[in-house]
Structure formats: C-alpha cells, structure tokens
Amino acid sequence: MSRALPYPVQREIFARFQAAEPEPKGELEHVNAYTLVVAVALSAQATDAGVNKATRKLFAVADTPRKMLELGLEGVTEHIKSIGLYRNKAKNVIALSRILEEEHGGEVPSSRAALQALPGVGRKTANVVLNMWWAHPAQAVDTHIFRVGNRTRIAPGKDVDAVERAIEDHVPAEYQRHAHHWLILHGRYICTARKPKCPACPIADLCPYEDKTPAP
C-alpha cells in the first residue's frame, strides 16, 4: 500500500480546497436532523439527485419520526419507489422512526453508537450525520473518497475503514471538519473514475497519479 503524502503537501492541498470552497455542503436536501438521517439512509446505491427528487414530497408531509409513522409503510414506499432497493429502505425508515420516537423522544442522537443502532444506518451514514448536523470532524468514506484518497495518496487504504483512518491520521486538524466534503466534491466533479479532469484540477501539480489526463 502506498504511503500517504507528507504533511506539508497535505496542508497545501487542503488550503487550496478551502480557498476554492470555504464552506462545502452536502448535496442531499434536508430540513432537520431527522430528514438528514432518512436522506442519507436512502442514498445507499442511489444518486443524491434521485434521492432529492423523491424526498421533496416525502419530507413535505413527514419531517418527524411521528409523522413518518403516521404516513405508514405503504405511504413511505409510494414516495420512494423511484429509488433503488426502495422496499427494504421503506421498512428501515419506518423502523428507525419508531426507535427514534420510542427511545429518543423523537430526537436524533449525537452519538455514533446510537446512530448505528438504527436500522439502515451504517458507519458512513452515522458519520455524515455527525459531520453535517453536529459539526463533528467525522469522515464518511464513499466510493469518491476511496478513489481520490488512493489515487492522490491523500488517504491511501485497502478499504473504506483504512481510508477513514488515513484521513484522520494525515489530514491537518484544521481541515478535518470539511475534509470529506472537499474530497467527495473533488471526486464527483474533477477526479472522476473515468478520464479525470486533470487539466482543471487545482492540485494536479501536487498529485502523484501517473496516468493523468493530458490537456487537450
């Protein structure tokens, strides 16, 4: 496994990311902590755009656990049927809403363990909620971050857990809060899986990736 880039290079990379986008935001639409949990849980193996299209109408009628339970399984299923794996996801939304209502007073907990105890909520989903809602420096590693972390050697690792640890170990502390959003956006729009946009990349001169896309 490749070694991570040295600290001074990491600092320069994230300084450039910050200069370009001082306050990066996630692209999943939500109105409160509860709708964020639901949106992120629904986003597994689905696009943010597809989830947003489905949840706009869903959250208009059910933006709390109690309202979601009142909507019921059939109602939730009908709203999200355009999303992949929608039947199982609808069951999870109802189940997690019941737990939040019965065990947490309808509130979303700020603990990773409590979040991961919710049906359909894994470590990545919990980290997204902790980062976006509670401002914790949690790193939610998706396919974009996994690719960028290894390709650029910002955070190399053989699996998502290793990449998460590499971000925590090697990215300067002052950039931890927004690190995962900068890396997601970079992977989604610049460092794409096929034919990365290297000529437009703000960190191309610092990136050790050998098969850079040449300028036209």
Side-chain angles (χ1 to χ4, degrees):
M1 179 59 62
S2 300
R3 298 182 64 181
L5 293 172
Y7 188 82
V9 180
Q10 299 272 13
R11 178 177 291 282
E12 177 61 23
I13 285 173
F14 283 92
R16 293 184 191 182
F17 284 156
Q18 184 180 58
E21 188 71 53
E23 292 289 331
K25 304 294 183 185
E27 296 182 330
L28 284 172
E29 297 174 6
H30 58 282
V31 296
N32 54 30
Y34 169 69
T35 54
L36 176 59
V37 171
V38 173
V40 181
L42 293 177
S43 71
Q45 300 182 50
T47 66
D48 287 0
V51 172
N52 289 339
K53 185 176 180 180
T55 57
R56 285 180 194 124
K57 291 183 179 179
L58 174 63
F59 294 158
V61 297
D63 60 357
T64 67
R66 180 172 297 179
K67 290 178 181 178
M68 196 70 75
L69 292 170
E70 291 171 351
L71 183 61
L73 180 59
E74 289 186 8
V76 174
T77 302
E78 183 63 26
H79 275 90
I80 69 169
K81 63 184 180 181
S82 61
I83 301 174
L85 308 175
Y86 69 94
R87 293 188 187 279
N88 192 55
K89 289 179 179 179
K91 292 177 183 177
N92 283 337
V93 168
I94 290 296
L96 71 83
S97 298
R98 183 169 289 111
I99 291 173
L100 289 175
E101 186 64 24
E102 295 177 354
E103 299 182 15
H104 299 280
E107 299 295 325
V108 173
S110 58
S111 143
R112 180 184 283 113
L115 286 167
Q116 286 189 240
L118 299 173
V121 176
R123 186 177 179 86
K124 186 183 82 168
T125 296
N127 281 350
V128 171
V129 175
L130 290 171
N131 182 276
M132 290 182 63
W133 195 260
W134 302 108
H136 293 188
Q139 309 302 331
V141 178
D142 67 354
T143 56
H144 296 299
I145 293 180
F146 185 79
R147 179 179 64 255
V148 172
N150 280 288
R151 181 184 279 171
T152 64
R153 286 178 38 215
I154 289 172
K158 63 181 181 179
D159 54 35
V160 293
D161 291 338
V163 170
E164 180 182 335
R165 289 193 299 271
I167 295 173
E168 294 171 347
D169 290 344
H170 299 290
V171 174
E174 63 266 36
Y175 298 116
Q176 291 276 337
R177 168 72 175 84
H178 293 307
H180 97 270
H181 274 135
W182 281 319
L183 293 171
I184 286 173
L185 294 172
H186 189 64
R188 186 171 289 168
Y189 298 111
I190 300 293
C191 198
T192 50
R194 297 182 180 178
K195 199 175 181 180
K197 300 176 177 63
C198 300
C201 177
I203 63 167
D205 59 314
L206 303 174
C207 173
Y209 182 55
E210 294 181 356
D211 299 324
K212 289 186 173 68
T213 303

